[in-house]
Amino acid sequence: MVINKSPGTIQQQPTNGQSLKKTFPVTGMSCASCAVSTESILKAQEGVVNAEVNFANASVAVEFIPEIIGPDEMKTALQTVGYDLVIDESEDAQAQLENEQAASLKRLKRRTLLAALFSLPVVVIGMFFMDMPYANWVMWALSTPVVLVFGKQFFINAWNQLKHRNANMDTLVALSTGIAYLFSVFNTLFPAFWHSRGLDAHVYFEAAAVIIAFILLGKLLEERAKSSTSSAIKKLMGMSPKTVRIINDAGEETVIPAASVKVADIVVVKPGEKVPVDGEVATGSSYVDESMISGEPVPVEKQTGDPVFAGTVNQKGSFRFKAQKVGGETVLAQIIKMVQEAQGSKAPVQKLVDKIAGIFVPVVVGIAVLTFITWLLLGGENGLTHGLLAMIAVLVIACPCALGLATPTAIMVGVGKGAENGILIKDAESLEKAHRINAVVLDKTGTITEGKPEVTDIVWQNSLDDADRKRLASVLLAMESRSEHPLAEAVVRFLKTGGTPAANLTGFESLTGRGVEALDGMFTYLAGNQTLLQDKGIILQEHLKETAEKLQQQAKTVIWFAAGNTAVAIIAIEDQVKPTSEKAVAALQEMGIEVHMLTGDNFQTAEAVAKKAGIRHFRAGVMPAEKADFVKNLQSQGKVVAMAGDGINDAHALAQADVSIAMGRGTDIAMDVAKMTLISSDLLHIPKAIRLSRQTVRLIHQNLFWAFIYNLIGIPVAAGILYPVSGFLLNPMIAGAAMALSSVSVVSNSLRLKFKRLAG
């Protein structure tokens, strides 16, 4: 896997015939219609499997087959319609892109300021001094730079779109201001044409100039607000130090660029410095602030052998660590990659919005023309003047941008806020879907419990002497050493502490969900649950059965150990319930969500853990395949199910669930399958994630409501629907201000999410 902070983010390397996913910045888009146009052009290219454009962060996620099409061909296809794809993936290209964006924002500020300065006297003259000598000529002189210089980009973009039979917001602005400006120029040069017909030669220079000024101001505010929606990703990217101190071959400290660190380098970290890459402490000790990864404010003690992660901050002591993951392989790089991809993904509701945005501009142009014709036919002696003003107002007030920004800005802020709170969300669909969750299924070990089981008791058959016990203990150690189950690790740790040597086995078999079977010569040994021994016809000693029941009532898991056809020992293992599990379960239940616990453990242990955690519904002795069946059964009852787990045996159930949640300290397989990852493994993050989803979806609905209502009300009012009743006709200048503010209000509403609390 190759991951970096460059413009194009690679998700996976392809093999023959396989598709590749990349995310590229797109330049030249000015509205939601542009995003739809960009998407449709890319999708039409042979070899492109899918393309998703995010207008809010000006990027496109493209899935394509490299053998058929490459980034260069996609770039060329977009350039023909006035857009561009940034395909250079070097660090220099990223810096150049950022510099260009900063320069573009600076140019926009200057154009907005100058447009406002030139427009102000035009408005004053148009409103109060129309009778002054040469008023029209002065307004023409002042408005020309505004329309043709500061607003020229609208006309250039509109022309590029027209050449390819497309239309966007620039088309609406160019048409409205262009018509107002040209009509005013004609009336200034040839006033006699109207005077001879008994009409006044009105000019609308102030409307053309102020519309440009307002829309430039709206774009400036919109760009600033949009940049705030991606502040989370910028914050994450800024967590990696630029330079690093390493110990060179001569044993001396050397400062090198962070990008040059290699696996196995010894890195020095001093108090107050950031950890540059992932690794393991070699010497020294300290406390490290890992809140950027876990969301937990309490610093974590680090000693020799403990892991450290890129971006975390060393607080007190100095230490040296051995680099294990560098560049795109670090946890921080993985988080940045996941957040970038999630922020660029589309929520299902966006598909409807895209369809509307795709036909929005042509429909508005049609309404504007119809408005003008209607006023000409029914408007009496002022029909032409009112028709012209109404047509311009309709073209100006219509705003596809508000629609286009409604969903992606909310998603970007929601995903960023999740990352800041230790909740990694893989795509917009899961963030949207999570608000409908009404059932949560939890794995026991590592999810509800700490996942650090320890042996508390080992009880041998009464008839065994010390020599027998030592010999059998060595066989048990050899068996559990070859098992991958977390409980087996606890047994290995316990027996190794006692100095038990491992026996040599001649055969070994793992029995999924039940235990292990081994051969030592021709003698068979079993280690696993009671059901396994009973199925194999093993004799269970009565005193061992009684002891096992007592231990299970204490929420301990019991492993049975058999030699030949007789049980020879039981091993009790306890996995503490996490301190926050009970609070998390209570929070979910208060939200009206059913909580279920599934475990492969026995009934007594499961019951004891469920009681401690406050869980009302649980099932014990569940095989991995049965977990997925249980999830499917809940779904058949109409439930929207979230599954949380941390092990390989949870992967099937995670894939089946509507929303899958991996506990961050679990296996890579669970994290790959899951749509959400809780970095800290704290169950309290599940209700937080659901609250975040509910808040984000509420924002999306609010944004879409106001965007639709704005256009549904604004366009008819601009067309003059209120004129017959109240004599009100919307001034195009006011329409321009309203259009500019509509986009800003949508983005600003999304930004409110940054300040909302996720805790209950």
Side-chain angles (χ1 to χ4, degrees):
M1 186 180 286
V2 181
I3 306 159
N4 52 42
K5 298 188 293 182
S6 58
T9 303
I10 302 178
Q11 189 180 49
Q12 59 187 30
Q13 293 287 6
T15 56
N16 288 339
Q18 284 190 340
S19 63
L20 172 69
K21 280 188 181 178
K22 279 191 180 184
T23 301
F24 299 103
V26 180
T27 60
M29 293 193 302
S30 60
C31 70
S33 299
C34 298
V36 175
S37 177
T38 301
E39 199 169 280
S40 61
I41 289 159
L42 287 173
K43 283 180 178 177
Q45 305 305 308
E46 187 182 357
V48 173
V49 179
N50 192 30
E52 287 189 349
V53 175
N54 186 324
F55 174 54
N57 65 1
S59 68
V60 58
V62 192
E63 184 178 356
F64 62 98
I65 300 168
E67 286 86 351
I68 301 174
I69 191 171
D72 287 320
E73 290 92 335
M74 291 186 277
K75 180 183 177 77
T76 303
L78 283 183
Q79 284 175 333
T80 59
V81 287
Y83 310 122
D84 201 0
L85 209 60
V86 182
I87 60 173
D88 190 340
E89 299 182 66
S90 65
E91 290 285 338
D92 290 341
Q94 170 69 359
Q96 188 179 338
L97 179 66
E98 288 175 359
N99 291 337
E100 175 53 36
Q101 287 170 341
S104 177
L105 189 61
K106 197 173 180 181
R107 287 195 298 270
L108 181 57
K109 281 182 190 173
R110 188 169 62 249
R111 284 164 56 206
T112 304
L113 179 62
L114 290 171
L117 288 174
F118 275 80
S119 298
L120 187 60
V122 179
V123 173
V124 172
I125 294 169
M127 292 180 71
F128 304 109
F129 302 104
M130 277 299 294
D131 296 328
M132 67 180 265
Y134 305 107
N136 288 1
W137 294 87
V138 172
M139 287 192 289
W140 183 10
L142 288 170
S143 62
T144 297
V146 178
V147 176
L148 301 182
V149 179
F150 311 135
K152 69 177 180 180
Q153 204 59 44
F154 296 117
F155 295 93
I156 293 169
N157 292 343
W159 175 248
N160 287 334
Q161 293 295 314
L162 181 63
K163 283 192 294 186
H164 297 90
R165 298 179 182 178
N166 288 327
N168 62 7
M169 191 199 77
D170 294 323
T171 308
L172 300 180
V173 176
L175 277 173
S176 56
T177 55
I179 290 168
Y181 178 79
L182 291 173
F183 185 73
S184 301
V185 169
F186 179 84
N187 288 1
T188 301
L189 292 173
F190 308 107
F193 177 84
W194 300 106
H195 294 160
S196 64
R197 290 164 174 77
L199 297 171
D200 290 327
H202 289 295
V203 294
Y204 302 103
F205 288 120
E206 78 279 8
V210 172
I211 286 167
I212 294 284
F214 269 135
I215 290 171
L216 286 173
L217 177 62
K219 278 201 163 295
L220 179 62
L221 295 174
E222 183 186 311
E223 287 303 316
R224 282 184 166 176
K226 275 161 62 177
S227 68
S228 297
T229 64
S230 57
S231 60
I233 199 80
K234 289 173 185 170
K235 200 183 291 180
L236 286 171
M237 285 179 167
M239 285 176 174
S240 293
K242 301 296 179 190
T243 58
V244 183
R245 263 191 295 271
I246 67 164
I247 305 298
N248 62 20
D249 294 338
E252 300 168 339
E253 283 189 18
T254 308
V255 177
I256 64 169
S260 302
V261 179
K262 298 182 182 67
V263 173
D265 278 350
I266 300 298
V267 182
V268 181
V269 184
K270 295 186 176 178
E273 292 182 345
K274 290 176 180 176
V275 178
V277 296
D278 293 0
E280 186 179 280
V281 177
T283 58
S285 63
S286 183
Y287 283 86
V288 176
D289 179 0
E290 294 186 346
S291 58
M292 54 75 57
I293 283 181
S294 65
E296 302 300 327
V298 181
V300 180
E301 186 180 5
K302 297 292 178 182
Q303 296 179 336
T304 304
D306 288 338
V308 288
F309 304 101
T312 57
V313 183
N314 183 30
Q315 295 213 318
K316 293 190 176 178
S318 296
F319 63 89
R320 295 179 179 184
F321 73 93
K322 186 177 183 179
Q324 292 177 328
K325 291 182 178 179
V326 300
E329 297 298 317
T330 66
V331 169
L332 178 61
Q334 298 281 358
I335 290 171
I336 290 170
K337 166 185 168 275
M338 195 180 286
V339 173
Q340 281 177 325
E341 288 177 354
Q343 287 188 332
S345 64
K346 282 190 179 180
V349 70
Q350 185 67 18
K351 291 172 185 172
L352 171 65
V353 177
D354 285 349
K355 284 180 183 175
I356 294 168
I359 60 168
F360 187 87
V361 174
V363 168
V364 169
V365 172
I367 292 171
V369 172
L370 186 63
T371 298
F372 181 66
I373 293 169
T374 304
W375 274 103
L376 272 182
L377 296 175
L378 306 175
E381 63 180 32
N382 293 319
L384 177 63
T385 303
H386 286 170
L388 188 67
L389 285 174
M391 180 175 69
I392 293 168
V394 167
L395 290 169
V396 170
I397 203 166
C399 187
C401 294
L403 284 174
L405 290 167
T407 302
T409 51
I411 292 294
M412 286 178 71
V413 177
V415 169
K417 189 172 180 68
E420 288 171 3
N421 284 272
I423 304 163
L424 292 186
I425 298 156
K426 215 174 241 185
D427 58 33
E429 186 175 356
S430 57
L431 179 61
E432 186 186 343
K433 200 182 281 185
H435 85 283
R436 294 189 286 113
I437 291 170
N438 50 24
V440 172
V441 178
L442 305 173
D443 175 50
K444 178 177 76 72
T445 306
T447 303
I448 296 170
T449 63
E450 294 283 4
K452 296 175 183 174
E454 299 293 339
V455 173
T456 59
D457 307 88
I458 183 163
V459 182
W460 294 96
Q461 185 184 327
N462 292 332
S463 60
L464 298 174
D465 58 25
D466 286 345
D468 289 333
R469 290 178 183 182
K470 282 183 181 178
R471 180 179 58 79
L472 290 168
S474 72
V475 174
L476 180 60
L477 175 58
M479 292 172 70
E480 298 292 41
S481 296
R482 294 176 69 171
S483 172
E484 295 179 352
H485 199 283
L487 296 182
E489 293 174 19
V491 176
V492 170
R493 282 196 304 271
F494 178 80
L495 292 175
K496 277 187 174 177
T497 306
T500 307
N504 292 318
L505 302 177
T506 56
F508 177 84
E509 184 183 359
S510 178
L511 308 168
T512 307
R514 304 171 76 199
V516 292
E517 185 174 9
L519 290 175
D520 183 11
M522 295 300 292
F523 207 71
T524 303
Y525 294 91
L526 291 168
N529 57 33
Q530 188 172 328
T531 307
L532 172 64
L533 270 66
Q534 287 171 337
D535 289 348
K536 296 284 186 178
I538 304 299
I539 300 166
L540 306 180
Q541 303 294 323
E542 200 58 42
H543 85 95
L544 290 180
K545 285 172 71 176
E546 289 174 5
T547 307
E549 284 178 15
K550 288 176 185 175
L551 292 168
Q552 286 167 349
Q553 286 166 5
Q554 298 169 29
K556 295 180 181 181
T557 301
V558 173
I559 293 176
W560 287 79
F561 179 39
N565 63 352
T566 307
V568 292
I570 54 171
I571 303 97
I573 299 173
E574 186 172 27
D575 187 7
Q576 293 284 343
V577 173
K578 291 175 187 173
T580 55
S581 289
E582 186 180 358
K583 197 183 289 185
V585 170
L588 288 168
Q589 289 169 344
E590 281 172 19
M591 293 165 74
I593 297 168
E594 275 183 20
V595 182
H596 300 260
M597 182 185 80
L598 300 182
T599 178
D601 219 330
N602 62 75
F603 181 84
Q604 291 95 326
T605 305
E607 185 179 39
V609 170
K611 192 173 181 181
K612 277 188 180 180
I615 296 172
R616 298 168 197 147
H617 314 283
F618 69 91
R619 284 182 64 179
V622 181
M623 296 288 110
E626 292 173 342
K627 289 184 180 180
D629 291 337
F630 182 81
V631 170
K632 200 181 291 183
N633 183 48
L634 286 176
Q635 289 170 328
S636 69
Q637 298 170 29
K639 305 278 186 189
V640 178
V641 183
M643 169 74 193
D646 72 333
I648 294 170
N649 62 344
D650 299 319
H652 189 185
L654 287 168
Q656 177 62 43
D658 296 295
V659 178
S660 44
I661 303 168
M663 309 308 285
R665 292 172 188 166
T667 65
D668 289 341
I669 292 176
M671 291 175 72
D672 283 345
V673 171
K675 294 295 185 184
M676 291 186 184
T677 299
L678 309 183
I679 298 173
S680 71
S681 290
D682 184 347
L683 271 188
L684 273 175
H685 281 63
I686 294 180
K688 276 187 182 180
I690 295 171
R691 285 191 198 100
L692 176 64
S693 171
R694 290 179 178 181
Q695 290 170 1
T696 305
V697 169
R698 197 177 300 125
L699 269 184
I700 290 171
H701 290 165
Q702 287 171 1
N703 286 350
L704 288 174
F705 173 79
W706 288 116
F708 276 112
I709 287 294
Y710 165 81
N711 283 295
L712 285 173
I713 293 175
I715 291 172
V717 168
I721 198 170
L722 297 178
Y723 188 81
V725 180
S726 62
F728 177 78
L729 192 62
L730 187 67
N731 189 311
M733 291 186 290
I734 305 300
M739 182 271 184
L741 288 173
S742 64
S743 296
V744 177
S745 62
V746 162
V747 180
S748 302
N749 190 45
S750 296
L751 289 172
R752 289 192 308 117
L753 182 58
K754 294 176 79 169
F755 308 104
K756 295 210 172 196
R757 289 177 68 247
L758 295 182

